[in-house]
Amino acid sequence: MRTIRSVAELRRALAEARGPDRHIGFVPTMGYLHQGHMALVENSQARCDATVVSIFVNPTQFGLTEDLTTYPRDFIRDEQLCREAGVDVLFAPEVRDVYPPQFDTFVEPGAPAQPLCGPFRPGHFRGVATVVCKLFNMVQPDVAFFGQKDLQQCAVVRRMTFDLNLPIDIVTVPTVREPDGLAMSSRNRYLSAPERKRALAISRGLLAAETAFREGERDPARLLSLVRPPLEALDELQYLEIVDAETLKPATNPLSRPVAICAAGYVGSTRLIDNVMLDPDAARR
Ligand code: AMP
Protein backbone atom coordinates (compact mmCIF):
# COMPACT_ATOMS: atom_id res chain seq x y z
CA MET A 1 0.00 0.00 0.00
CA ARG A 2 1.20 3.50 -0.79
CA THR A 3 0.41 6.38 1.54
CA ILE A 4 0.24 9.57 -0.47
CA ARG A 5 -0.09 13.19 0.69
CA SER A 6 0.03 15.25 -2.49
CA VAL A 7 -2.33 15.44 -5.45
CA ALA A 8 0.60 15.37 -7.90
CA GLU A 9 1.90 12.12 -6.43
CA LEU A 10 -1.62 10.67 -6.37
CA ARG A 11 -2.05 11.39 -10.07
CA ARG A 12 1.28 9.71 -10.87
CA ALA A 13 0.43 6.63 -8.79
CA LEU A 14 -3.03 6.27 -10.28
CA ALA A 15 -1.83 6.80 -13.85
CA GLU A 16 0.03 3.50 -13.40
CA ALA A 17 -3.03 1.78 -11.88
CA ARG A 18 -5.40 2.94 -14.63
CA GLY A 19 -5.86 1.12 -17.88
CA PRO A 20 -8.43 -0.37 -20.22
CA ASP A 21 -10.81 -2.60 -18.25
CA ARG A 22 -9.20 -1.60 -14.96
CA HIS A 23 -11.59 0.02 -12.51
CA ILE A 24 -10.55 2.30 -9.70
CA GLY A 25 -12.73 2.22 -6.58
CA PHE A 26 -12.78 5.10 -4.12
CA VAL A 27 -13.79 5.23 -0.45
CA PRO A 28 -13.76 8.76 0.99
CA THR A 29 -13.58 8.94 4.80
CA MET A 30 -12.68 11.24 7.69
CA GLY A 31 -10.58 8.49 9.31
CA TYR A 32 -10.76 6.87 12.74
CA LEU A 33 -11.74 3.83 10.75
CA HIS A 34 -14.14 1.12 11.93
CA GLN A 35 -15.87 -1.88 10.39
CA GLY A 36 -18.39 0.37 8.65
CA HIS A 37 -15.58 1.99 6.67
CA MET A 38 -13.96 -1.39 6.05
CA ALA A 39 -17.24 -2.71 4.57
CA LEU A 40 -16.97 0.04 1.95
CA VAL A 41 -13.38 -1.08 1.25
CA GLU A 42 -14.50 -4.71 0.86
CA ASN A 43 -17.24 -3.65 -1.56
CA SER A 44 -14.71 -1.69 -3.58
CA GLN A 45 -12.28 -4.60 -3.67
CA ALA A 46 -15.04 -6.94 -4.84
CA ARG A 47 -15.97 -4.61 -7.73
CA CYS A 48 -12.76 -2.83 -8.67
CA ASP A 49 -9.15 -3.60 -9.58
CA ALA A 50 -7.59 -0.99 -7.29
CA THR A 51 -8.98 0.72 -4.18
CA VAL A 52 -8.16 4.22 -2.99
CA VAL A 53 -9.16 5.27 0.54
CA SER A 54 -8.97 8.93 1.48
CA ILE A 55 -8.69 10.26 5.01
CA PHE A 56 -9.49 13.94 5.28
CA VAL A 57 -11.28 15.69 8.13
CA ASN A 58 -13.00 18.29 6.00
CA PRO A 59 -13.24 21.65 7.79
CA THR A 60 -15.91 23.09 5.47
CA GLN A 61 -18.53 20.54 6.54
CA PHE A 62 -18.29 21.40 10.25
CA GLY A 63 -20.37 24.21 11.75
CA LEU A 64 -18.69 26.80 13.99
CA THR A 65 -19.98 25.09 17.15
CA GLU A 66 -19.27 21.53 15.92
CA ASP A 67 -16.45 19.11 16.74
CA LEU A 68 -13.81 19.85 14.05
CA THR A 69 -10.94 20.29 16.52
CA THR A 70 -11.89 17.32 18.71
CA TYR A 71 -12.90 14.94 15.89
CA PRO A 72 -11.17 11.60 16.71
CA ARG A 73 -7.98 10.90 14.76
CA ASP A 74 -5.51 7.98 14.78
CA PHE A 75 -3.64 7.99 11.53
CA ILE A 76 -1.15 5.25 12.46
CA ARG A 77 -3.96 2.83 13.31
CA ASP A 78 -5.95 3.79 10.21
CA GLU A 79 -2.91 3.23 8.00
CA GLN A 80 -2.37 -0.19 9.60
CA LEU A 81 -6.03 -1.18 9.05
CA CYS A 82 -5.88 -0.14 5.40
CA ARG A 83 -2.61 -1.98 4.83
CA GLU A 84 -4.00 -5.16 6.43
CA ALA A 85 -7.16 -4.87 4.32
CA GLY A 86 -5.12 -4.70 1.11
CA VAL A 87 -5.97 -1.10 0.17
CA ASP A 88 -3.81 0.02 -2.76
CA VAL A 89 -3.53 3.74 -2.07
CA LEU A 90 -4.21 5.68 1.13
CA PHE A 91 -4.61 9.34 0.22
CA ALA A 92 -4.36 11.76 3.14
CA PRO A 93 -4.05 15.33 1.85
CA GLU A 94 -3.25 18.35 4.02
CA VAL A 95 -5.94 20.98 4.64
CA ARG A 96 -3.76 23.69 3.01
CA ASP A 97 -3.56 21.64 -0.20
CA VAL A 98 -7.30 20.95 -0.41
CA TYR A 99 -8.18 24.54 0.57
CA PRO A 100 -5.32 26.84 -0.46
CA PRO A 101 -5.58 30.42 0.86
CA GLN A 102 -7.38 31.82 -2.22
CA PHE A 103 -9.92 28.96 -2.35
CA ASP A 104 -13.28 30.47 -3.25
CA THR A 105 -15.47 27.98 -5.17
CA PHE A 106 -18.16 25.78 -3.62
CA VAL A 107 -20.67 23.20 -4.84
CA GLU A 108 -24.14 24.26 -3.68
CA PRO A 109 -26.40 21.19 -3.37
CA GLY A 110 -30.14 21.59 -4.02
CA ALA A 111 -33.24 19.82 -2.72
CA PRO A 112 -31.62 16.71 -1.15
CA ALA A 113 -29.68 18.96 1.25
CA GLN A 114 -32.81 20.76 2.53
CA PRO A 115 -34.75 18.30 4.79
CA LEU A 116 -33.63 16.14 7.74
CA CYS A 117 -30.13 17.29 8.85
CA GLY A 118 -30.30 20.36 6.57
CA PRO A 119 -31.86 22.85 9.03
CA PHE A 120 -29.78 21.57 11.95
CA ARG A 121 -26.43 21.72 10.15
CA PRO A 122 -26.46 24.83 7.94
CA GLY A 123 -23.72 24.64 5.30
CA HIS A 124 -22.86 21.02 6.12
CA PHE A 125 -23.90 19.49 2.79
CA ARG A 126 -22.34 22.37 0.85
CA GLY A 127 -19.05 21.40 2.52
CA VAL A 128 -19.66 17.70 1.81
CA ALA A 129 -20.55 18.27 -1.85
CA THR A 130 -17.55 20.54 -2.33
CA VAL A 131 -15.01 18.17 -0.82
CA VAL A 132 -16.47 15.08 -2.50
CA CYS A 133 -16.39 16.87 -5.87
CA LYS A 134 -12.76 17.90 -5.27
CA LEU A 135 -11.76 14.39 -4.14
CA PHE A 136 -13.54 12.92 -7.18
CA ASN A 137 -11.49 15.22 -9.41
CA MET A 138 -8.26 14.30 -7.62
CA VAL A 139 -8.82 10.52 -7.64
CA GLN A 140 -10.95 10.25 -10.81
CA PRO A 141 -12.42 6.91 -9.73
CA ASP A 142 -14.78 4.73 -11.76
CA VAL A 143 -16.86 3.79 -8.71
CA ALA A 144 -17.24 5.50 -5.31
CA PHE A 145 -18.64 3.87 -2.17
CA PHE A 146 -20.73 5.56 0.54
CA GLY A 147 -22.48 4.25 3.66
CA GLN A 148 -26.26 4.07 4.00
CA LYS A 149 -25.85 5.36 7.55
CA ASP A 150 -25.37 8.80 5.98
CA LEU A 151 -28.39 8.45 3.72
CA GLN A 152 -28.80 12.16 3.05
CA GLN A 153 -25.12 12.43 2.14
CA CYS A 154 -25.66 9.60 -0.38
CA ALA A 155 -28.62 11.50 -1.88
CA VAL A 156 -26.62 14.75 -2.12
CA VAL A 157 -23.63 12.98 -3.72
CA ARG A 158 -25.81 11.07 -6.20
CA ARG A 159 -27.61 14.26 -7.27
CA MET A 160 -24.32 16.16 -7.62
CA THR A 161 -22.67 13.35 -9.60
CA PHE A 162 -25.59 13.26 -12.02
CA ASP A 163 -26.06 17.02 -12.28
CA LEU A 164 -22.35 17.71 -12.88
CA ASN A 165 -21.94 14.79 -15.36
CA LEU A 166 -19.24 13.13 -13.28
CA PRO A 167 -18.52 9.72 -14.87
CA ILE A 168 -18.61 7.86 -11.57
CA ASP A 169 -20.91 5.08 -10.32
CA ILE A 170 -22.14 5.77 -6.78
CA VAL A 171 -22.68 2.65 -4.65
CA THR A 172 -24.47 2.73 -1.29
CA VAL A 173 -23.35 0.09 1.21
CA PRO A 174 -25.70 -1.07 4.04
CA THR A 175 -25.06 0.22 7.55
CA VAL A 176 -22.73 -1.88 9.70
CA ARG A 177 -23.91 -2.16 13.31
CA GLU A 178 -22.38 -3.19 16.63
CA PRO A 179 -23.68 -6.57 17.88
CA ASP A 180 -26.29 -4.75 20.02
CA GLY A 181 -27.57 -2.73 17.04
CA LEU A 182 -25.82 0.66 17.46
CA ALA A 183 -24.74 1.97 14.04
CA MET A 184 -20.95 2.14 13.94
CA SER A 185 -19.63 5.69 13.89
CA SER A 186 -16.31 7.38 14.65
CA ARG A 187 -18.27 9.67 17.00
CA ASN A 188 -19.38 6.71 19.18
CA ARG A 189 -16.06 7.06 20.99
CA TYR A 190 -17.36 10.28 22.58
CA LEU A 191 -20.01 8.27 24.49
CA SER A 192 -19.53 7.45 28.19
CA ALA A 193 -20.70 3.96 29.28
CA PRO A 194 -24.15 5.19 30.45
CA GLU A 195 -24.53 7.32 27.31
CA ARG A 196 -23.58 4.33 25.16
CA LYS A 197 -26.54 2.44 26.69
CA ARG A 198 -28.95 5.31 26.02
CA ALA A 199 -27.64 5.69 22.47
CA LEU A 200 -29.16 2.28 21.71
CA ALA A 201 -32.58 3.96 21.77
CA ILE A 202 -32.24 5.04 18.12
CA SER A 203 -31.43 1.64 16.63
CA ARG A 204 -33.94 -0.10 18.95
CA GLY A 205 -36.76 2.14 17.73
CA LEU A 206 -35.78 1.92 14.07
CA LEU A 207 -35.31 -1.84 14.14
CA ALA A 208 -38.73 -2.25 15.85
CA ALA A 209 -40.33 -0.38 12.94
CA GLU A 210 -38.36 -2.50 10.47
CA THR A 211 -39.74 -5.66 12.09
CA ALA A 212 -43.31 -4.33 11.96
CA PHE A 213 -42.81 -3.41 8.30
CA ARG A 214 -41.58 -6.91 7.53
CA GLU A 215 -44.71 -8.24 9.20
CA GLY A 216 -46.87 -6.14 6.88
CA GLU A 217 -47.36 -2.71 8.50
CA ARG A 218 -47.56 -0.05 5.74
CA ASP A 219 -48.98 2.94 7.62
CA PRO A 220 -46.16 5.50 8.11
CA ALA A 221 -47.77 7.03 11.22
CA ARG A 222 -48.07 3.63 12.91
CA LEU A 223 -44.46 2.78 12.01
CA LEU A 224 -43.26 6.08 13.50
CA SER A 225 -45.29 5.45 16.65
CA LEU A 226 -43.12 2.35 17.24
CA VAL A 227 -39.89 4.33 16.96
CA ARG A 228 -40.94 7.27 19.16
CA PRO A 229 -41.16 5.69 22.66
CA PRO A 230 -37.56 4.38 22.80
CA LEU A 231 -36.35 7.79 21.57
CA GLU A 232 -37.49 9.29 24.90
CA ALA A 233 -34.10 8.11 26.21
CA LEU A 234 -32.30 10.72 24.08
CA ASP A 235 -31.47 14.12 25.55
CA GLU A 236 -32.73 15.83 22.40
CA LEU A 237 -34.54 14.47 19.36
CA GLN A 238 -33.85 16.63 16.30
CA TYR A 239 -36.03 14.76 13.85
CA LEU A 240 -37.80 11.49 13.22
CA GLU A 241 -39.17 11.23 9.70
CA ILE A 242 -40.21 8.70 7.12
CA VAL A 243 -39.12 9.80 3.65
CA ASP A 244 -38.82 8.54 0.09
CA ALA A 245 -35.41 6.80 0.06
CA GLU A 246 -34.38 8.48 -3.20
CA THR A 247 -35.83 12.00 -3.09
CA LEU A 248 -36.02 12.37 0.73
CA LYS A 249 -39.51 13.88 0.28
CA PRO A 250 -42.21 12.84 2.79
CA ALA A 251 -43.40 9.27 2.20
CA THR A 252 -46.88 8.50 0.90
CA ASN A 253 -49.54 6.61 2.89
CA PRO A 254 -49.68 3.63 2.45
CA LEU A 255 -46.01 3.12 1.64
CA SER A 256 -45.54 2.01 -1.95
CA ARG A 257 -41.96 2.95 -2.84
CA PRO A 258 -38.65 2.36 -1.01
CA VAL A 259 -38.59 4.65 2.03
CA ALA A 260 -36.25 5.36 4.92
CA ILE A 261 -37.07 6.11 8.52
CA CYS A 262 -34.44 8.62 9.61
CA ALA A 263 -33.68 9.92 13.09
CA ALA A 264 -31.13 12.29 14.61
CA GLY A 265 -30.62 13.41 18.16
CA TYR A 266 -28.23 14.01 21.01
CA VAL A 267 -27.05 11.79 23.83
CA GLY A 268 -25.11 14.16 26.09
CA SER A 269 -23.08 16.28 23.70
CA THR A 270 -22.82 13.57 21.01
CA ARG A 271 -24.99 13.89 17.93
CA LEU A 272 -26.14 10.55 16.51
CA ILE A 273 -27.95 9.74 13.28
CA ASP A 274 -29.36 6.47 11.99
CA ASN A 275 -31.92 5.13 9.51
CA VAL A 276 -33.51 1.97 8.20
CA MET A 277 -34.57 1.43 4.59
CA LEU A 278 -37.91 -0.25 3.91
CA ASP A 279 -38.69 -1.55 0.43
CA PRO A 280 -42.29 -2.69 -0.15
CA ASP A 281 -41.28 -4.48 -3.38
CA ALA A 282 -38.47 -6.44 -1.73
CA ALA A 283 -40.82 -7.40 1.14
CA ARG A 284 -43.40 -8.74 -1.35
CA ARG A 285 -40.88 -10.88 -3.28
P1 AMP B 1 -17.00 9.27 7.78
O1 AMP B 1 -15.57 8.88 8.05
O2 AMP B 1 -17.85 9.28 9.00
O3 AMP B 1 -17.11 10.54 6.95
O4 AMP B 1 -17.59 8.12 6.86
C1 AMP B 1 -16.97 7.75 5.67
C2 AMP B 1 -17.88 6.82 4.91
O5 AMP B 1 -18.14 5.66 5.71
C3 AMP B 1 -19.24 7.46 4.60
O6 AMP B 1 -19.65 7.05 3.30
C4 AMP B 1 -20.12 6.87 5.67
O7 AMP B 1 -21.50 6.81 5.30
C5 AMP B 1 -19.54 5.48 5.80
N1 AMP B 1 -19.91 4.88 7.09
C6 AMP B 1 -19.78 5.44 8.31
N2 AMP B 1 -20.30 4.62 9.26
C7 AMP B 1 -20.79 3.54 8.61
C8 AMP B 1 -21.46 2.34 9.03
N3 AMP B 1 -21.73 2.10 10.32
N4 AMP B 1 -21.81 1.44 8.08
C9 AMP B 1 -21.55 1.67 6.76
N5 AMP B 1 -20.91 2.78 6.31
C10 AMP B 1 -20.54 3.70 7.21
Side-chain angles (χ1 to χ4, degrees), residues 67-274:
D67 56 346
L68 173 61
T69 52
T70 54
Y71 194 82
R73 296 163 206 243
D74 189 343
F75 189 75
I76 302 292
R77 183 175 160 276
D78 288 348
E79 197 176 32
Q80 185 66 24
L81 279 172
C82 287
R83 189 174 296 115
E84 283 167 12
V87 168
D88 299 276
V89 172
L90 177 58
F91 177 50
E94 304 285 351
V95 173
R96 62 173 177 273
D97 292 330
V98 178
Y99 297 111
Q102 299 81 7
F103 182 84
D104 202 14
T105 304
F106 288 84
V107 177
E108 191 67 63
Q114 302 311 312
L116 305 174
C117 290
F120 298 99
R121 303 193 71 186
H124 170 69
F125 291 112
R126 178 187 197 241
V128 168
T130 301
V131 81
V132 170
C133 186
K134 284 174 68 74
L135 290 168
F136 279 1
N137 285 328
M138 294 173 191
V139 176
Q140 299 187 320
D142 300 286
V143 193
F145 298 82
F146 292 84
Q148 185 203 314
K149 183 180 157 275
D150 299 281
L151 184 80
Q152 190 169 12
Q153 172 169 283
C154 292
V156 166
V157 168
R158 270 181 198 284
R159 186 80 252 160
M160 172 191 79
T161 304
F162 183 84
D163 287 349
L164 300 185
N165 304 93
L166 306 179
I168 301 169
D169 277 351
I170 305 298
V171 173
T172 302
V173 176
T175 303
V176 177
R177 299 179 179 280
E178 301 285 356
D180 61 6
L182 183 69
M184 289 191 183
S185 164
S186 306
R187 288 190 167 98
N188 290 351
R189 74 149 293 164
Y190 296 145
L191 299 167
S192 67
E195 287 174 345
R196 170 72 180 71
K197 278 198 188 125
R198 285 195 292 130
L200 270 184
I202 299 196
S203 54
R204 275 218 184 104
L206 292 172
L207 297 173
E210 188 181 55
T211 303
F213 178 84
R214 236 185 276 123
E215 289 164 359
E217 183 61 79
R218 293 291 181 272
D219 178 337
R222 280 212 290 273
L223 288 168
L224 289 181
S225 74
L226 294 170
V227 189
R228 221 166 261 121
L231 293 185
E232 302 282 320
L234 301 181
D235 294 307
E236 181 195 337
L237 175 64
Q238 287 193 325
Y239 61 79
L240 168 63
E241 286 183 48
I242 183 157
V243 296
D244 185 287
E246 200 179 313
T247 64
L248 308 185
K249 291 190 176 139
T252 54
N253 182 15
L255 305 177
S256 56
R257 283 175 41 78
V259 296
I261 308 184
C262 303
Y266 276 90
V267 176
S269 56
T270 305
R271 185 173 187 273
L272 300 168
I273 61 170
D274 200 352

